[in-house]
Amino acid sequence: MGGSSIASANQANSLQPSTEGCFHCTLPIPAQEQITKSLAGDTRHFCCNGCASVAEAIFNAGLDGFYQRRLEGDVLAPPPELPSELAFYDLDEIQQDFVDSLEDERQVHLLVEGIHCAACVWLIENSLKREKGVLDAKVNLTGKRLHLYWDNSKISLSKMIQRLGLLGYSAVPYDPETAEGHLKQANRQLLYRMAVAGFAMMNLLWISIALYTGADKGEFRTMFHWIGFCLATPTLIYSGYPFYKGAWQGVKSRTLSMDFPIALGATITYLYSVYVTVTGTDVGEVYFDTVVNFLFVILVGRFLEAISKRQAVASTQRLLDLQPRVASVINDGEEKIVSIRSIVVGDKVLVKPGERIPVDGIILEGASSVDESMLTGESEPVKRFSGQAVCAGTINGNGALQIEVTGLLKNSALGRIIHLVEEAQASKAPIQCVADRIVPWFVAATLGLATATFTVWLSVGIEQALMAATAVLIITCPCAFGLATPMSIAVASGLGAKNGILIRNGEVLERFSSISHFVFDKTGTLTEGQISVSGIYTEDTSWAAGNDELSNSLKSMMARMAIVERHSEHPIAMAIGRFAEQFELDTASLKVEAFEAKPGYGVQALVNGEQVLIGTPNWMRMNQIESSGALKDFSAEVDVLGQGSIRCAIGGREVALIAVEDRIRDAAAGLIAELKKAGMKVTLLSGDRKSTAESIAARLGGMEVIAEVLPEDKDAVIAELQAGGNKVVMVGDGVNDAPALVRADVGIALGSGTDVSIASADIVLMSSELENIQMASKLSRRTLRTIRQNIAISIGYNIIMVPLAMMAFVTPLVAAITMPLSSLAVIGNATRISKIFRNKK
C-alpha cells in the first residue's frame, strides 16, 4: 500500500468506535472470538472472519475511504452468504430471462442484500467501476437495487457478483419486466386514466353547480363553457382512449360491444357541447360534466376487471416457479451445472439433499424421502429408492440422488399440471351476463331511436332536433348496464373478504347458484394437513386424542420416544415432538447414544444405556423383536379407522403401538351433513388408498369416494362429473388441485393451501373455516339476484325516460341530471347485499 493509503487508514482508525466493537460492522465482539488483522500497518479487531475478509478486500482495493464516509454510529450487518452455484448466472439460457440482450454489452438489475447507507452505495459503485469490462454501475439505495452495465466478453456476471460478495454484499438477478410486471404497468396506465377522469369530474362539478344555479343565463356563461371545454377535451382524449379503441376494433370486426355506446354517447354529448360553446347559442346547454362523469364510472369497473386478469397470470407464474431453471448434470464422472433447457432425455442429473428436483426421472443411485406435498397435496414425505420415479418440482430430503431424465419442462408431471391449468382457463367460457346479451340490441335501438327523434323534430328546427336526439343518447347511456355487474361484485367481494371469503373471480357468483355437486380433496381440506398422535396403546393401558390426562408410565415411555425422535426430521417424529411439548414431558435426564435411522423402516438409539426402537413391524422383525398379540389387535382397529401406526420396543420388548393421523377438521362433519340436507351430492377425492379414504368418509357421515387418484387425473375426474350433467364445486389446497379448481364450475381453496391453488381458485376461504363454504353459497345467490335487479332497474329507467326524451319532454340538461339516478339506484341496491352477514353467528 502507498503512503496515501496508510494515511487514509490512520484517519479511518480515528473513526473506529472502540476496541470492543468490530472495525467493519461495529457490532460487539463476542468474548474469546476476536479476530485480529493488520491492515495498512494498523491492528484492527473483528467479530468474525467474514468482516475481516471484507475489510481486507476493501483496503487492498484502495477503497478504505468507505470507512470515512460511513456515518458515526452506523451499524452494518455481518456480510451475508453468497448465492450458491454462481456459475449458472453466466449461461445465456439463464441470462436471457433478465438481461436486455445477449450481445457483448449487457444490462442487468441486481437485488443487493446488505446495502445500508450512502457509504455502501459509494463502495459498490467505485469497486465495480474499477473492474475491467464494467461500463457503468448505479445503485438505488431505496430499492436496494444495482443497475449494472458491462461487457460480457471481458468480465462474467458471476465474477461481479462474487466481487460484491467479497465486499460484504449478496446479489441476485432481478427481472423488472416479467409478465406480471407488464400487467402491473398496464393496470397502472388504467389507474392513471381513472385518476385524470376523477380529477376533471371533481372540478367540473363546481362549474356545473354554477351553471345549474343561474350562471348559464348571466355574463359568465361563455367563460364557464370554455373552462368546461378545456377540462373535458384532454380527459376525453386520454381517459376515453380505451373505449374509442375498443369501439373501433368492434366496428372493424362488425360487432357492437359495450365500448361502442360508451364512445358514441361520449362523442355525441361532447360534440353537442362543443357546438353550444363555439356558437354561443342560448338554446342548448353544455354537458362536459356528463361526459367526464360516465367515463370515470366505467373506468372504475374496467380497473376491477384488469386486477383479476393480473391474478390469473400470477397463478400460472407460481406454477412455473416450481420448475428449477438449472440442474447438475453428470457427464463422464464430472458434475456440471447447466440450464434446464439444455438437458435431454437420458441425461444423468445429480440432486443434492434439500434441492428441488428439476426433472422427471428414474432414480439410478441413492435413496431419500421426497416431499411431494406441493405436487400431490399429501403431507407426509414419500420414501424413494433406486428404480423408482420422481417428479420435477418436488423437494429432495436428506439423501443424494442420481436420476436418469425421463421428462422435461412441458413433458414433466409439473409441466402437465401447468398445461392443464392453462387449458382449463381457456376452455372455461366467460360468463355472458344479461347486460352483455342486451348491449348489441340496445345500441342498435339507441341509434335508431335517436335518428328517428332527430328526423321527427327536424321540421321544428335543427337545434330542437339536435337537443331531442342528444337527450335520447344521454339518457340511454349504458352506464347503469356497466355498473350492474361490477358494482354488485365489488360490494360482494369486499363484504366477503371482511368475513373470510375472498372472491377472486366475479363469474363464480353466477355459477355458484346452480351448483349440484361438491367435491372435496381430503388432505389439508377436510383434514388439518398435519400428522398428530391420535392414540397410544400398550398391553396395560391406552390413551386417545382429546384426553388431557396421561399416566406416568405413558409419560415415561413417550419421553424416551421423543428424545430419540428429536434426531429425526420425519413428519411422524415431529408429531411425537409436538406431543411431548403438549404434555411437557421431561427429557432433561435422558441421554441418547448410537442413534441410527433406516429410511422406510424406523430409528433406534440407546437411551440411558437401554435400547429404544421406533418404526414399522418390519423394523421390529429386523431387530429380532417379538411381536405382541395384543398390539396386533390394536393395529387392526387403527387400520379400520384409516389411521397409521408405528411400534415402539424398549429393552428388547415391544411395548406400545402409536396411532397417528391427519385429523379431520372440527367443522367437516357438520358441513357434509348440511350439504347433504340441502340435496347436494358430495364426493371425497383423494390420492390415498381406497380403504383409508372410505374410512374417513364413513367418519364424516358417508359420501361417495374416489380414491387412488394420480395428481394429473383430478382434473379429468372433475371433467367426467361435469360430463354427467353435474355443476361441480371443487374444494382443495394443493398444487395438484390447481387444474381441478380451474376446471370445476366453482373452485374453492383454503387459506392454508399453497399459493398456486389459492391463486387458481374462484373463492378462497382466508381463515380456512369450512362453515364459510355455506356462507359463500348464500353470498353468490344474493349477488346474482342483485345483479338481475340492477339490470331490471336500468331497463325500467330507460323504458320510462326514453319515450319522454323522444317527445322532447326531457331536455339534455334534465337527461344529464336523471341519467345518474339509475346508477345511484344500482349502487344503493348493491349495498343491500350486506344484509346476509348481519345475522351471521
Side-chain angles (χ1 to χ4, degrees), residues 289-520:
D289 57 331
T290 302
V291 174
V292 173
N293 285 351
F294 68 68
L295 281 179
F296 174 74
V297 174
I298 300 297
L299 282 170
V300 171
R302 292 291 175 89
F303 183 70
L304 296 175
E305 180 184 352
I307 290 175
S308 66
K309 289 180 179 179
R310 172 187 163 190
Q311 292 171 340
V313 172
S315 66
T316 305
Q317 184 63 41
R318 288 189 183 97
L319 278 171
L320 293 170
D321 287 343
L322 294 180
Q323 172 77 66
R325 295 184 176 184
V326 296
S328 299
V329 173
I330 299 176
N331 191 5
D332 296 330
E334 294 185 1
E335 177 186 343
K336 183 180 180 182
I337 300 172
V338 300
S339 167
I340 193 71
R341 298 177 184 178
S342 64
I343 298 176
V344 298
V345 173
D347 281 351
K348 294 180 181 179
V349 172
L350 175 65
V351 183
K352 299 174 183 178
E355 290 185 343
R356 195 176 292 277
I357 297 175
V359 295
D360 280 8
I362 302 296
I363 299 175
L364 299 177
E365 295 180 17
S368 182
S369 59
V370 178
D371 181 1
E372 299 179 349
S373 59
M374 294 295 288
L375 203 60
T376 66
E378 304 304 329
S379 57
E380 187 173 346
V382 180
K383 299 296 181 183
R384 296 299 183 193
F385 306 97
S386 178
Q388 294 185 316
V390 290
C391 297
T394 57
I395 300 174
N396 185 25
N398 52 11
L401 300 175
Q402 275 196 32
I403 300 171
E404 181 179 348
V405 179
T406 60
L408 290 159
L409 299 174
K410 292 184 179 180
N411 294 321
S412 66
L414 176 61
R416 288 192 293 271
I417 289 176
I418 294 172
H419 173 71
L420 288 172
V421 171
E422 293 173 342
E423 184 184 59
Q425 287 175 336
S427 65
K428 183 185 290 183
I431 185 173
Q432 295 295 319
C433 69
V434 177
D436 287 336
R437 292 193 290 268
I438 291 176
V439 162
W441 301 101
F442 177 85
V443 173
T446 299
L447 292 173
L449 292 173
T451 303
T453 301
F454 183 83
T455 303
V456 170
W457 287 102
L458 189 58
S459 60
V460 177
I462 181 66
E463 289 189 357
Q464 183 65 42
L466 185 60
M467 285 181 64
T470 303
V472 171
L473 286 173
I474 292 175
I475 215 162
T476 55
C477 174
C479 187
F481 280 115
L483 279 175
T485 298
M487 182 56 65
S488 299
I489 291 173
V491 172
S493 299
L495 290 170
K498 185 178 179 181
N499 291 273
I501 303 168
L502 180 61
I503 309 295
R504 288 296 184 90
N505 187 338
E507 298 173 7
V508 68
L509 296 170
E510 179 170 341
R511 296 194 303 271
F512 209 165
S513 62
S514 60
I515 289 300
S516 60
H517 198 140
F518 279 77
V519 177
F520 291 90

Side-chain angles (χ1 to χ4, degrees), residues 60-77:
N60 289 342
L63 297 170
D64 44 293
F66 163 74
Y67 295 104
Q68 293 174 273
R69 287 169 174 80
R70 185 179 61 188
L71 297 177
E72 186 171 358
D74 276 352
V75 177
L76 306 180

Side-chain angles (χ1 to χ4, degrees), residues 569-700:
E569 296 182 356
H570 194 279
I572 293 179
M574 296 178 183
I576 293 175
R578 288 190 293 270
F579 180 89
E581 292 177 1
Q582 177 186 349
F583 285 92
E584 299 179 349
L585 302 182
D586 183 15
T587 60
S589 61
L590 302 177
K591 181 181 179 181
V592 177
E593 298 176 305
F595 174 83
E596 178 187 347
K598 187 172 180 61
Y601 292 93
V603 297
Q604 66 172 328
L606 294 177
V607 179
N608 289 352
E610 187 173 31
Q611 185 187 47
V612 176
L613 288 98
I614 308 168
T616 65
N618 287 336
W619 182 237
M620 299 293 128
R621 284 192 290 271
M622 289 173 61
N623 288 276
Q624 288 79 47
I625 303 297
E626 186 177 347
S627 130
S628 165
L631 295 184
K632 281 185 179 180
D633 295 336
F634 288 133
S635 178
E637 295 176 9
V638 168
D639 287 342
V640 170
L641 294 175
Q643 300 176 2
S645 64
I646 57 172
R647 308 292 178 88
C648 176
I650 299 177
R653 187 173 72 88
E654 191 174 65
V655 296
L657 178 141
I658 312 299
V660 294
E661 69 169 342
D662 186 0
R663 290 181 182 173
I664 295 174
R665 293 181 186 269
D666 294 337
L671 172 64
I672 299 301
E674 287 293 327
L675 292 175
K676 291 166 67 177
K677 184 178 179 181
M680 300 290 177
K681 299 177 184 177
V682 184
T683 297
L684 177 64
L685 185 63
S686 176
D688 285 347
R689 293 176 302 170
K690 189 172 184 179
S691 60
T692 300
E694 287 178 342
S695 174
I696 297 295
R699 292 167 62 187
L700 289 170

Side-chain angles (χ1 to χ4, degrees), residues 208-231:
S208 300
I209 291 174
L211 291 172
Y212 295 161
T213 54
D216 60 327
K217 303 298 183 182
E219 58 183 312
F220 297 108
R221 170 187 168 92
T222 302
M223 181 189 73
F224 281 128
H225 284 183
W226 281 106
I227 293 174
F229 170 81
C230 293
L231 285 170

